[in-house]
Amino acid sequence: MTQARPGCGRNRPLQVITLVFAAVWLAAAVAPRDRADWAMENLLVVSLVVALAGTYRVLPLSGGSYLCIATFLTLHTVGAHYTYPQVPIGEWAREQFGWSRNHYDRLVHFGFGLFMTYPVRELLIRTAGARGFWTHYLPLEMILALSGAYELFEWGAAAVLAPELGSAYLGAQGDQWDAHRDMLAAVLGAVLGITMTALATRRST
């Protein structure tokens, strides 16, 4: 994690990751089910991609971190294309298992914890000097904090920017505990992610 990375023009793995995600994003941008909801869902995606590009020269991440981020964003991009309550695979699962709602949004929140734990851990190690126990505990806290912040952002954006998109954008599907369960899903994903990272780190030492 502390080794220097090549410039983007010479970083072939990053180029591949970027091109694949760009292709997925562009495909999902074609005829989304609800264009206004799609635009709202992509506010943070565009912001994150711009931030990663803008900080690459001073704080380039590892290939593993970029891959994890791209994987999570791909899951989110699919949800943005269909709107979360109507993602086909979630509808299929709802019918197959007799669920009362489409749980694709739960999968993505779980994926946020699972896939974003690694890059968050890398940032904490490289910028905050986290060591030992704190490299496992602090990422969990960060994921919970970011998940809670996202729920507040989601509510604020829906209430202020586009109240008419409320139900589609929030994706609560009538669940009064939706925000709490989303955060729980993210924490569970983070627990799995940090456990896998700890095991991999132990084997490599």
Side-chain angles (χ1 to χ4, degrees):
M1 289 185 180
T2 58
Q3 295 177 351
R5 274 73 179 179
C8 188
R10 294 181 289 113
N11 192 334
R12 187 56 58 83
L14 179 57
Q15 291 176 358
V16 172
I17 292 169
T18 301
L19 288 174
V20 171
F21 175 70
V24 171
W25 190 87
L26 289 172
V30 176
R33 187 156 293 179
D34 186 321
R35 176 63 69 180
D37 178 67
W38 175 87
M40 290 282 288
E41 296 284 6
N42 277 281
L43 284 176
L44 288 179
V45 173
V46 173
S47 299
L48 178 58
V49 170
V50 169
L52 290 172
T55 59
Y56 181 79
R57 287 185 178 274
V58 295
L59 188 61
L61 301 177
S62 65
S65 284
Y66 285 123
L67 179 60
C68 286
I69 293 170
T71 301
F72 164 69
L73 290 181
T74 297
L75 291 173
H76 174 72
T77 297
V78 172
H81 176 80
Y82 291 103
T83 76
Y84 275 96
Q86 301 181 68
V87 175
I89 191 170
E91 284 296 284
W92 173 85
R94 182 180 64 81
E95 294 174 1
Q96 290 295 313
F97 300 107
W99 293 337
S100 60
R101 73 192 298 279
N102 185 323
H103 285 291
Y104 185 79
D105 63 327
R106 299 272 194 265
L107 171 66
V108 176
H109 281 280
F110 181 85
F112 173 73
L114 177 63
F115 294 112
M116 294 302 289
T117 297
Y118 186 83
V120 166
R121 179 178 181 269
E122 179 177 349
L123 283 173
L124 288 170
I125 291 173
R126 295 178 58 196
T127 63
R131 295 292 183 271
F133 165 80
W134 299 107
T135 65
H136 305 304
Y137 174 73
L138 289 178
L140 296 178
E141 291 294 307
M142 284 293 295
I143 291 297
L144 179 57
L146 290 170
S147 185
Y150 175 76
E151 294 297 332
L152 292 174
F153 169 85
E154 193 177 49
W155 162 69
V160 176
L161 299 179
E164 70 280 2
L165 293 176
S167 59
Y169 181 56
L170 294 176
Q173 301 179 65
D175 182 0
Q176 63 176 331
W177 306 112
D178 179 66
H180 307 76
R181 288 171 174 150
D182 287 347
M183 288 188 287
L184 175 61
V187 170
L188 292 176
V191 169
L192 177 58
I194 205 66
T195 299
M196 294 169 62
T197 301
L199 292 173
T201 302
R202 181 174 297 179
R203 289 179 180 178
S204 64
T205 57

